[in-house]
Amino acid sequence: MEQQLWRETEEKFNTSNLIGDSNNNNNNAISLQTLSSCRSLIINPSTSNLTISSILKTLIHTLFSSNHRHYHHHIFSLLSTLSFHHPSFSPSISSSILSLSSSLISDPSSSPRLAAAALSLLLSISAVDDLDDSLLVSLCFRPCMSVRVWFLNNALKFSIRPNLLLTVMLGFSEDPIPCVRKAALEGLVRICDSGIFVEDSAFVEGCYFRAVELLGDQHDYVRFSAVRAVRAWGCMHAESKPEEEIKGTCFNGVFLQICSMVRDMNVEVRVEAFTALGKIAYISGDILLQTMSKRVLGTIKEKQSLAWCSSHMHKIHASVAAGLFVHGLEDEYSEVQQAACISLRMLPVISDQFASEAVNILKYGLHGDTTVRLEALKTIHHIVLSGCLKMQEENIDMLLGTLLDSSSEIRSRAFNLLESVKLPGLKVFKSTVESLLKSVDMYPKSEAQVFCTLFSIGQNHGNYAVRIMEDFYAEIEPSSNGKLGCNRPRVVGLLVLAISASMKHEKHFIRIPPWIFSYAAAYFGRISLALRDILDVDSLLAYLSYCNWHFMGHSETKTRSDILSAAKGQQEASEHVLSAVKLILQTVERLWKLVKCGCTDEMIKALRYCKESLMTVKAGSFAHAGVVAFALQYIRIVKILTEVWEIFVVSKHCLLSEIGDMDLLLGKLDKALLDFRYRFIGLSENVELIIMELLLLNYLLQLSSPYTHGKAFHKLCTVFSYVCHLRNAKSIACSDFVNQFAELSYDGCLSLEATRNPIQLKKLLDLFLLKELGVSQGIKHIKADICVLGFDSVSPLQFISGLPVAIPLEITLYNMTNDHRLWLKITLNDKLTEYFFLDMEEYGGPGEPRQFKCTLPFYRTPEVVAFTLRISMGMECLYEDLHLWNGHGGPKHALTFISPEIEVDFSNLKTPQHDEC
């Protein structure tokens, strides 16, 4: 296909080349379709080198033919494309057309555009070094404006002597055509920026003064380029002066010349003027101060800057700089305002007075567009980091408004700025904290940045932070009327502030109430996520643990500095985890008063954050998996209990649907408490008593439900008997809730009428309080993992209807003993259930965890093409001896399930289609 296309194209080229100029008609023209076919072959990466070589020869031959010179610029374009896609042919192109290009440039009668096209081709293949620079420059003097502009824009790409190049640029800067003048000025800027060293100072002065003259050009785009040239050549000449005084005078002259352009009628010129001002390395202090004030200062009134002493003397009064940046920030165009902010940021901060004045005028920028506000904040931040600025109250008030800006980028910049600022007093610090808290309430997605800012200003102003925290204690600690925002970002931000102030300064640490750190531990996950860039998780966990140790009276063995310096990766990490779990559970206990006063929604949200904190602790604590799992189950129970409480106690008028919901919740609570009681080992008797109290409350609520649970009273009596045994035999102090139960009993027995009495029920519920769980490192979590061998979602197990099927399993047991009774439960379509007993003496091997393989039979395979079984493992609760399970061969006691439920798919080996055959 490629060769056929090229043969047809080549034939058209050859036919056209054979026809002489005498036969001037449409038949001898090279069609654009022919040229397009040629280009398609060139840019196709699969075209062979043999074809490309043939194309090159044809194009060169056509180029030297005199038949169709008006198509030569197309040929040059094709050759340029060929050199780009096939660089290996560049030397052949260079050797072939170099002489032709030279003749086109030197021949005054040739087309200037064709000569420029040839020169452009040579540039693309880097083959212009052999051309004489005088020959190249002669192209500028051809009677074609577009070629002249093209050459001036590309002059630096040729090997032209600097003096000759400068002469050409200076000469054409006086061209009557404005676009040529602009190209010449841009060429002068490129020469200066390229680093070409110009020895002759007369050239430098000439370039500068020519640019200064063109500042008054009537065309906007010429003045735009003149500003760039004044900055470039003025700074070059100033840098060349050996005497510092003369150098400063020169820089001042350049600065003032550009100052005269910031009020130009054209927006782009004003923008470029401010951009150029920011690139000047040195400006005297009095001139810089004058740019801050529209009123001419006394030190400026008699000052006149001489650009430099020469035959070309340009004088400009320093008053031209009056209010320079004020005008820029008040400009009606945001582009000019933005350029003024950037320029001001790039100038040297010379004094406290200049820094203060600069911040004062930047307030105009804070009322502009989003881009202007952002640049203004960046400039203020730069000035603050210079160390020359002492922020005043009015300056801080100006910044606080940006914390509530609708733009997240502006808020982020404002947060970073506040982290670097030294606040002048307690009043300002408090208003700053209030603004940050208001910001996080309005924009929750900015939570992490706000918390980081609060942490930084708390460490930088520890004394202020501790003093204002006293005003916020009521917001953090739940009150009797339930007014608490504990789950709000605002209150978490206050906890971050307390942590930051106490962490850096020991004297502030002892002034923070201990319950503050307890709440902080409850929000550990949320806080650690926000502060992850400035404080690692281990250090925060270690610090909160130290706080717990200190307020429990154990601080004599550990110092605060030791804890913080040795937080990460040390052996004490286990203590930190255990202490953090205790702190979180203490917070749950404190939060129960929210439920008592009816703030159940607040409680549920707070419990969610406590759970997130525990999950953060769990992520790096395999050794304490049992303790963390125990705490998570406890939080789950408290959450369900809160939902029940909302319906049963808080709601005055229960709807029928709410009564049904309560019944479901009581079922969930019963199951959760069953897991809580039986799936954890290593519990102390005090913890066991707390679990019993929760069970008493659960059964009491079940008895009080309109849908009375038939066996709830029997369970209540059983648990109460066990509690009485613990109280009497172990001499364990019980709560008022349990003691009230004891008063209702007669000879240790409860009556159904007494427990269902509404007055007694209300009294019992009022007395119930959550108690602190004294967790220890010895708590272990009983659980299991089940894996089906040889099965995945793509390859189901095979079966034959009516025949038993074997299910190969791999089981892993954690913290299990031979005394536990385990059952595998198999369910088909929620209608058919089978149980398989696991004898621990047969299957349970030594070691921890225990891992073994077994084959599970399923006997009742259905008459279907495919089916799915659900398998889970349950553990018999031996003390729940109520025979809840009916049938033969199954468990006789209630089960608590210790493994996730898995699904196993089966496919029939003998499909219905086979039966029909």
Side-chain angles (χ1 to χ4, degrees):
M1 186 66 179
E2 166 199 322
Q3 295 176 356
Q4 180 181 355
L5 178 59
W6 171 237
R7 280 197 299 270
E8 294 174 357
T9 305
E10 184 179 26
E11 183 179 351
K12 293 177 182 178
F13 268 105
N14 293 334
T15 302
S16 177
N17 289 332
L18 290 174
I19 300 176
D21 290 333
S22 57
N23 298 325
N24 190 12
N25 53 52
N26 291 335
N27 294 329
N28 70 344
I30 302 175
S31 67
L32 293 178
Q33 182 179 1
T34 302
L35 295 172
S36 178
S37 299
C38 188
R39 187 178 185 278
S40 299
L41 287 169
I42 291 173
I43 65 176
N44 191 341
S46 62
T47 304
S48 64
N49 285 341
L50 183 63
T51 302
I52 294 297
S53 177
S54 179
I55 292 172
L56 176 59
K57 291 178 182 179
T58 302
L59 291 176
I60 295 297
H61 178 69
T62 305
L63 195 60
F64 279 92
S65 172
S66 59
N67 291 347
H68 308 291
R69 290 187 176 178
H70 52 287
Y71 281 98
H72 282 186
H73 63 283
H74 291 298
I75 304 299
F76 281 125
S77 177
L78 287 174
L79 289 172
S80 179
T81 304
L82 191 148
S83 67
F84 176 78
H85 289 277
H86 306 278
S88 59
F89 289 92
S90 295
S92 301
I93 297 173
S94 174
S95 60
S96 301
I97 69 165
L98 187 59
S99 59
L100 175 62
S101 301
S102 299
S103 63
L104 287 172
I105 297 171
S106 60
D107 185 5
S109 63
S110 64
S111 169
R113 288 189 175 86
L114 193 58
L119 202 54
S120 178
L121 173 59
L122 291 175
L123 274 177
S124 66
I125 60 177
S126 304
V128 294
D129 294 340
D130 295 333
L131 295 176
D132 182 67
D133 53 4
S134 300
L135 180 63
L136 292 170
V137 169
S138 66
L139 189 61
C140 290
F141 298 95
R142 295 290 192 90
C144 181
M145 181 267 294
S146 60
V147 172
R148 197 178 308 159
V149 171
W150 175 85
F151 182 83
L152 293 174
N153 288 333
N154 293 277
L156 271 181
K157 299 177 183 178
F158 303 107
S159 300
I160 303 176
R161 288 166 293 161
N163 287 350
L164 177 59
L165 190 58
L166 284 172
T167 302
V168 171
M169 294 296 178
L170 276 174
F172 282 103
S173 65
E174 300 180 8
D175 196 278
I177 302 175
C179 61
V180 177
R181 296 199 299 273
K182 172 181 172 57
L185 286 170
E186 292 294 338
L188 287 172
V189 174
R190 282 190 291 271
I191 291 172
C192 187
D193 293 342
S194 66
I196 294 177
F197 180 69
V198 182
E199 296 181 357
D200 192 347
S201 61
F203 268 121
V204 178
E205 290 186 10
C207 293
Y208 172 73
F209 289 123
R210 182 59 192 148
V212 171
E213 291 172 6
L214 289 175
L215 290 176
D217 196 280
Q218 62 178 334
H219 296 280
D220 298 339
Y221 51 86
V222 177
R223 297 198 304 275
F224 176 89
S225 298
V227 170
R228 290 164 50 81
V230 167
R231 190 274 310 168
W233 287 95
C235 291
M236 175 183 280
H237 191 275
E239 289 288 355
S240 67
K241 297 297 180 180
E243 299 84 0
E244 290 297 324
E245 184 177 353
I246 298 177
K247 181 184 292 187
T249 301
C250 293
F251 273 120
N252 286 338
V254 176
F255 186 83
L256 294 174
Q257 288 291 354
I258 299 175
C259 284
S260 65
M261 302 303 294
V262 297
R263 297 176 181 84
D264 193 274
M265 295 298 295
N266 183 266
V267 176
E268 293 182 358
V269 174
R270 297 202 298 274
V271 170
E272 186 56 38
F274 278 110
T275 303
L277 289 174
K279 297 179 181 179
I280 298 177
Y282 170 84
I283 310 100
S284 63
D286 51 356
I287 293 179
L288 274 180
L289 289 175
Q290 182 62 76
T291 61
M292 302 289 115
S293 173
K294 292 181 179 180
R295 182 177 59 85
V296 179
L297 304 178
T299 56
I300 294 295
K301 288 182 178 179
E302 303 300 328
K303 188 161 185 173
Q304 178 171 273
S305 176
L306 305 181
W308 47 70
C309 296
S310 69
S311 57
H312 301 277
M313 190 66 67
H314 285 266
K315 297 181 179 181
I316 185 167
H317 200 280
S319 61
V320 73
L324 170 74
F325 288 104
V326 179
H327 286 295
L329 289 166
E330 292 178 342
D331 198 281
E332 59 181 318
Y333 290 96
S334 61
E335 297 91 334
V336 180
Q337 298 172 9
Q338 186 178 355
C341 290
I342 296 174
S343 177
L344 186 55
R345 183 165 71 245
M346 297 176 69
L347 294 176
V349 181
I350 56 171
S351 65
D352 294 354
Q353 183 182 0
F354 173 79
S356 179
E357 293 292 339
V359 171
N360 286 336
I361 68 169
L362 282 167
K363 64 184 178 183
Y364 299 109
L366 294 179
H367 300 291
D369 293 347
T370 301
T371 54
V372 179
R373 299 199 303 274
L374 183 61
E375 294 300 335
L377 285 173
K378 288 181 180 179
T379 304
I380 295 173
H381 196 186
H382 170 77
I383 295 173
V384 169
L385 293 177
S386 70
C388 294
L389 178 66
K390 293 183 179 179
M391 296 289 281
Q392 302 301 318
E393 183 175 349
E394 57 271 16
N395 301 136
I396 299 297
D397 291 340
M398 172 184 66
L399 295 176
L400 295 184
T402 59
L403 298 177
L404 307 179
D405 197 284
S406 59
S407 170
S408 60
E409 194 173 5
I410 289 176
R411 295 197 306 274
S412 177
R413 177 58 61 175
F415 296 145
N416 293 337
L417 173 56
L418 283 176
E419 292 176 14
S420 308
V421 170
K422 185 69 175 177
L423 300 175
L426 178 63
K427 179 182 176 182
V428 176
F429 181 84
K430 186 172 182 179
S431 63
T432 301
V433 171
E434 285 285 4
S435 296
L436 286 167
L437 297 177
K438 187 175 181 181
S439 177
V440 76
D441 276 340
M442 289 181 63
Y443 305 104
K445 290 184 179 180
S446 298
E447 179 177 290
Q449 289 181 302
V450 172
F451 289 175
C452 286
T453 305
L454 285 169
F455 188 85
S456 296
I457 67 172
Q459 290 206 318
N460 296 335
H461 310 82
N463 188 43
Y464 293 158
V466 173
R467 289 174 65 182
I468 72 164
M469 280 301 299
E470 298 173 359
D471 300 332
F472 294 112
Y473 288 160
E475 292 190 46
I476 303 174
E477 177 73 359
S479 58
S480 59
N481 59 7
K483 292 182 178 180
L484 171 75
C486 194
N487 56 298
R488 289 169 53 197
R490 172 185 176 87
V491 176
V492 184
L494 291 172
L495 296 174
V496 171
L497 188 65
I499 292 173
S500 65
S502 60
M503 182 177 285
K504 189 174 183 180
H505 307 283
E506 181 76 35
K507 61 180 181 180
H508 301 321
F509 169 72
I510 59 177
R511 296 169 61 186
I512 304 292
W515 56 266
I516 291 287
F517 301 105
S518 174
Y519 283 116
Y523 295 95
F524 170 75
R526 191 171 177 182
I527 295 173
S528 62
L529 180 64
L531 303 181
R532 62 185 181 276
D533 293 333
I534 56 178
L535 184 67
D536 62 84
V537 175
D538 293 323
S539 295
L540 179 60
L541 182 60
Y543 180 69
L544 294 177
S545 301
Y546 168 74
C547 296
N548 188 40
W549 288 326
H550 176 83
F551 291 112
M552 290 178 65
H554 303 306
S555 58
E556 67 278 358
T557 59
K558 299 178 177 67
T559 65
R560 178 174 158 278
S561 57
D562 291 340
I563 289 294
L564 293 178
S565 61
K568 196 169 184 178
Q570 300 299 315
Q571 294 181 355
E572 292 181 345
S574 60
E575 298 180 37
H576 304 330
V577 171
L578 188 60
S579 180
V581 172
K582 289 180 179 179
L583 282 171
I584 294 171
L585 293 178
Q586 288 172 11
T587 305
V588 175
E589 175 197 354
R590 284 177 170 273
L591 290 172
W592 180 251
K593 63 179 67 174
L594 287 174
V595 179
K596 302 285 284 186
C597 61
C599 299
T600 53
D601 289 340
E602 294 280 328
M603 180 65 173
I604 290 174
K605 292 177 182 177
L607 289 174
R608 183 172 70 246
Y609 294 126
C610 291
K611 180 181 177 182
E612 290 176 0
S613 299
L614 281 173
M615 295 304 293
T616 304
V617 173
K618 180 182 179 181
S621 174
F622 178 77
H624 288 77
V627 176
V628 176
F630 182 78
L632 286 170
Q633 183 68 11
Y634 180 67
I635 289 176
R636 181 171 179 266
I637 290 170
V638 174
K639 178 179 177 294
I640 299 172
L641 185 58
T642 301
E643 293 172 345
V644 173
W645 204 279
E646 180 180 17
I647 298 174
F648 190 83
V649 179
V650 179
S651 299
K652 301 299 182 183
H653 305 285
C654 292
L655 300 176
L656 186 62
S657 60
E658 290 179 331
I659 295 175
D661 291 341
M662 185 175 67
D663 196 50
L664 293 174
L665 288 172
L666 288 172
K668 289 173 61 177
L669 181 61
D670 194 56
K671 181 180 181 302
L673 285 169
L674 200 67
D675 291 347
F676 200 46
R677 183 181 183 185
Y678 291 100
R679 290 192 61 186
F680 296 94
I681 57 177
L683 303 179
S684 66
E685 292 178 342
N686 286 325
V687 173
E688 193 173 355
L689 181 60
I690 293 174
I691 296 174
M692 294 298 112
E693 288 191 23
L694 289 170
L695 286 169
L696 284 175
L697 178 64
N698 175 42
Y699 299 140
L700 180 66
L701 292 172
Q702 289 183 17
L703 284 174
S704 305
S705 170
Y707 300 99
T708 303
H709 293 252
K711 298 173 183 177
F713 180 71
H714 184 79
K715 292 180 180 180
L716 179 67
C717 294
T718 302
V719 172
F720 178 70
S721 299
Y722 185 70
V723 170
C724 291
H725 168 72
L726 288 176
R727 185 181 65 170
N728 298 329
K730 305 293 183 179
S731 300
I732 300 176
C734 294
S735 65
D736 293 339
F737 175 73
V738 173
N739 293 333
Q740 182 63 29
F741 257 107
E743 291 181 8
L744 297 177
S745 64
Y746 181 76
D747 290 337
C749 297
L750 293 170
S751 66
L752 182 62
E753 292 76 11
T755 53
R756 299 193 66 177
N757 185 292
I759 298 176
Q760 294 296 334
L761 174 64
K762 183 179 184 304
K763 190 173 183 179
L764 285 168
L765 294 178
D766 290 340
L767 289 173
F768 178 80
L769 291 173
L770 292 182
K771 297 176 67 177
E772 182 180 347
L773 285 175
V775 294
S776 64
Q777 189 174 348
I779 296 178
K780 303 297 182 184
H781 186 205
I782 297 174
K783 61 179 182 176
D785 291 328
I786 303 174
C787 176
V788 181
L789 300 176
F791 162 76
D792 56 42
S793 58
V794 179
S795 304
L797 298 179
Q798 305 296 316
F799 80 101
I800 298 176
S801 299
L803 297 180
V805 63
I807 309 172
L809 299 177
E810 183 178 70
I811 299 175
T812 305
L813 304 176
Y814 299 89
N815 305 308
M816 203 74 64
T817 66
N818 290 343
D819 295 331
H820 290 105
R821 293 175 57 83
L822 302 181
W823 294 84
L824 285 168
K825 179 183 177 183
I826 311 172
T827 305
L828 174 64
N829 298 329
D830 294 325
K831 297 179 181 179
L832 180 62
T833 301
E834 291 186 2
Y835 292 94
F836 181 83
F837 179 70
L838 283 177
D839 189 345
M840 291 297 296
E841 294 184 356
E842 177 182 353
Y843 291 106
E848 177 62 34
R850 299 186 179 188
Q851 191 172 38
F852 58 90
K853 297 177 182 179
C854 67
T855 301
L856 182 65
F858 181 72
Y859 297 97
R860 304 179 186 181
T861 53
E863 294 285 342
V864 292
V865 175
F867 69 93
T868 300
L869 290 179
R870 299 200 308 273
I871 303 175
S872 58
M873 179 177 289
M875 180 178 68
E876 244 183 293
C877 304
L878 300 181
Y879 296 103
E880 302 292 322
D881 53 351
L882 302 179
H883 302 282
L884 299 179
W885 302 97
N886 297 320
H888 301 282
K892 296 183 178 181
H893 304 89
L895 291 181
T896 177
F897 290 93
I898 62 175
S899 74
E901 188 177 67
I902 62 172
E903 292 187 349
V904 187
D905 298 327
F906 292 85
S907 176
N908 201 330
L909 279 174
K910 192 174 182 181
T911 63
Q913 288 82 357
H914 293 158
D915 290 339
E916 292 175 2
C917 293

